[in-house]
Amino acid sequence: MIHTKWRHKDLLDTDDLAPDEVTLLLDTAREFQEINTRPVKKVPTLRGKGVVLFFAENSTRTKTSFDVAGKRLSADTFALSKSGSSIAKGESLKDTALTLQAMAPDIIVIRHSSSGAARFLADRLSCSVVNAGDGWHAHPTQALLDAYTLREYWQGDMGGKSLLIVGDITHSRVARSNIHLLNLLGLSVRVHGPRTLLPLDIHNWPVAVYSNLDEAVAGVDAVMCLRLQLERQQAGLLPDLAEYATFFCVTKRHMAMAAPGAPLLHPGPINRGLEIASDLADAPESRILDQVTAGVALRMAVLFTLGMRNEP
Ligand code: CP
């Protein structure tokens, strides 16, 4: 099944994927989710395979869930971070990656602050590379787990639905990967955010741009808040956090204007009271922890699909 539908050495972004490849990953994740509910959450599927977790940027959800995913499939996982490694002594990205590859892993999962870092490695390494977030560019496993969460919530009925993304679109790899993927799956995407945090060419993107949150959220089928990257305030792109919250913080009042039962997503980590009201984060319409749960199953599917791609 893998051979007929999966056509890549790597997973670098959602715009590399065809609809049947997305379906393959989401269906495989659904099968693996059952393992995550068993008393003994481990199968021998990837025994003998090596997975390096190369995180040159901070992470809780992505790094931990790739580690859990690999271990539940019996792969050997090895973690390397920026601090405590020879990157801190000035070793280059290329030399670090070649050094890791010399230890014969099957898959390297990389997070890096530079857009394009994952593709740079994929072009130079024979093992599979998974992009776990590169700069502003892409975060494909986040978008895939978001699609999985929505597909489960809507019981498979994705086509024709709408989703609103609220926040800093310019600097968001989550927004970019989601916009590609959700369009591929037949959803229409709305966006809303401060003018200073919308890409200059946003009107060429396959999205509808709104200038008012009440109008943006009206009747929408799902809402996704983005983390406000507080470092943007130092760059002069956000004059005042309280003013940001006044205009862009999604609250229960906003969710009441969306379609009945509309779920609220957020990739995390969340800033309570800034981009999402604290009581909304804990409310039934919040699917934030479902997204985390989905992340393990989805990353099991990614490791399995790449790890088994050369198997007979
Ligand atoms: N959503 C996400 O990438 O979270 P982490 O930075 O904690 O991995």
Side-chain angles (χ1 to χ4, degrees):
M1 189 163 93
I2 297 295
H3 288 273
T4 56
K5 291 186 178 172
W6 186 256
R7 295 176 280 277
H8 309 281
K9 174 175 83 68
D10 313 293
L11 176 59
L12 302 179
D13 196 2
T14 50
D15 60 1
D16 296 327
L17 301 179
D20 64 333
E21 293 172 315
V22 175
T23 301
L24 173 71
L25 289 175
L26 300 188
D27 288 350
T28 307
R30 195 158 211 267
E31 287 177 31
F32 283 136
Q33 176 51 28
E34 187 274 321
I35 295 169
N36 294 329
T37 63
R38 294 180 190 172
V40 178
K41 303 171 182 62
K42 201 171 181 80
V43 292
T45 314
L46 290 184
R47 193 164 52 201
K49 303 285 183 185
V51 178
V52 173
L53 308 173
F54 176 15
F55 277 66
E57 216 185 42
N58 293 343
S59 168
T60 295
R61 280 148 282 270
T62 312
K63 184 176 179 182
T64 308
S65 60
F66 267 116
D67 197 12
V68 171
K71 287 184 165 72
R72 289 197 176 157
L73 294 174
S74 299
D76 298 311
T77 63
F78 309 89
L80 182 79
S81 57
K82 191 170 178 179
S83 64
S85 76
S86 290
I87 302 170
K89 298 181 201 166
E91 189 165 34
S92 71
L93 176 62
K94 178 182 170 185
D95 288 330
T96 303
L98 289 174
T99 301
L100 293 172
Q101 180 167 263
M103 300 178 205
D106 297 279
I107 302 171
I108 294 181
V109 179
I110 178 172
R111 170 168 289 191
H112 201 279
S113 57
S114 296
S115 299
R119 192 170 295 277
F120 177 85
L121 293 193
D123 289 345
R124 287 161 180 79
L125 302 182
S126 56
C127 69
S128 293
V129 174
V130 178
N131 184 1
D134 62 331
W136 304 354
H137 172 235
H139 195 348
T141 58
Q142 179 68 49
L144 285 160
L145 77 86
D146 292 340
Y148 179 92
T149 304
L150 290 171
R151 196 177 78 154
E152 290 299 302
Y153 187 77
W154 289 326
Q155 300 180 338
D157 185 16
M158 302 274 282
K161 292 275 202 297
S162 56
L163 178 138
L164 167 66
I165 303 178
V166 184
D168 176 0
I169 308 295
T170 297
H171 304 99
S172 177
R173 55 197 178 204
V174 173
R176 276 186 179 70
S177 289
N178 259 299
I179 289 167
H180 286 304
L181 186 62
L182 296 174
N183 271 283
L184 191 70
L185 294 173
L187 279 83
S188 58
V189 181
R190 309 178 186 183
V191 297
H192 176 58
R195 294 297 311 171
T196 51
L197 298 177
L198 292 179
L200 289 175
D201 65 345
I202 188 76
H203 292 287
N204 295 326
W205 292 30
V207 296
V209 183
Y210 287 76
S211 55
N212 175 291
L213 183 51
D214 284 5
E215 289 171 14
V217 80
V220 80
D221 295 305
V223 179
M224 179 184 293
C225 299
L226 298 176
R227 180 177 74 89
L228 182 62
Q229 300 179 39
L230 297 172
E231 57 273 25
R232 304 296 158 211
Q233 198 184 22
Q234 281 141 29
L237 296 173
L238 280 171
D240 184 81
L241 292 181
E243 189 175 85
Y244 181 90
T246 301
F247 290 104
F248 302 102
C249 184
V250 178
T251 65
K252 284 189 168 185
R253 184 184 73 79
H254 296 113
M255 294 307 294
M257 298 165 71
L264 183 284
L265 276 63
H266 190 308
I270 64 175
N271 295 302
R272 289 175 184 261
L274 261 185
E275 73 267 3
I276 180 169
S278 187
D279 62 346
L280 175 58
D282 300 325
E285 49 267 61
S286 167
R287 312 320 299 176
I288 295 172
L289 296 180
D290 288 350
Q291 291 172 268
V292 177
T293 302
V296 175
L298 188 281
R299 288 166 178 136
M300 289 169 82
V302 168
L303 295 180
F304 171 75
T305 303
L306 293 176
M308 298 299 283
R309 74 191 168 86
N310 290 327
E311 297 296 320

